[in-house]
Amino acid sequence: MSSVAEKLYTIRYKVDEQSHLIIKDQETCLKCQTKECQDFCPAEVYHWVEKEKMTSVAFENCIECGTCRIGCPAYNIEWVYPKGGHGITYKFG
Ligand code: SF4
Ligand code: SF4
């Protein structure tokens, strides 16, 4: 069986300069006990930055699985499809 890293290799990206993933309210992240966005995202897009007290978003790594639309317990992530022509395509299958 392929690992997640191997599967991620099969994806091509055309990255937009503008993020399609927006943290609605960083105060909500500050209060969030679980910070589970760091766990449920298979592409490790979200990281809690303790020094800056904010969730950073590496949107360019997103594989558009859609999990964060329902995974954040506070529904604090706004997710929109990348603009036409941007985002990911799969090399195989
Ligand atoms: S799970 Fe949601 S509220 Fe918690 S840190 Fe992540 S984005 Fe913020
Ligand atoms: S859509 Fe999927 S890959 Fe992209 S940020 Fe959300 S959970 Fe991560």
Side-chain angles (χ1 to χ4, degrees):
M1 188 188 286
S2 305
S3 69
V4 172
E6 284 167 338
K7 288 191 166 141
L8 289 176
Y9 179 71
T10 67
I11 294 169
R12 280 179 207 269
Y13 294 85
K14 184 172 180 211
V15 178
D16 197 352
E17 310 88 56
Q18 202 177 337
S19 178
H20 61 290
L21 302 161
I22 297 147
I23 300 289
K24 293 183 199 164
D25 177 25
Q26 289 286 354
E27 281 293 313
T28 302
C29 293
L30 182 62
K31 292 181 201 144
C32 176
Q33 298 290 312
T34 56
K35 306 214 179 352
E36 56 211 68
C37 53
Q38 298 181 113
D39 300 320
F40 64 63
C41 174
E44 299 182 2
V45 167
Y46 302 101
H47 289 281
W48 176 250
V49 184
E50 184 58 38
K51 205 168 127 197
E52 295 172 37
K53 304 278 185 229
M54 63 173 288
T55 301
S56 70
V57 183
F59 70 93
E60 62 278 9
N61 293 342
C62 174
I63 58 168
E64 300 169 27
C65 74
T67 305
C68 52
R69 283 192 288 192
I70 54 167
C72 169
Y75 298 105
N76 195 28
I77 300 169
E78 193 173 322
W79 197 102
V80 291
Y81 280 99
K83 277 195 311 234
H86 294 85
I88 62 166
T89 53
Y90 293 89
K91 288 180 197 167
F92 311 111

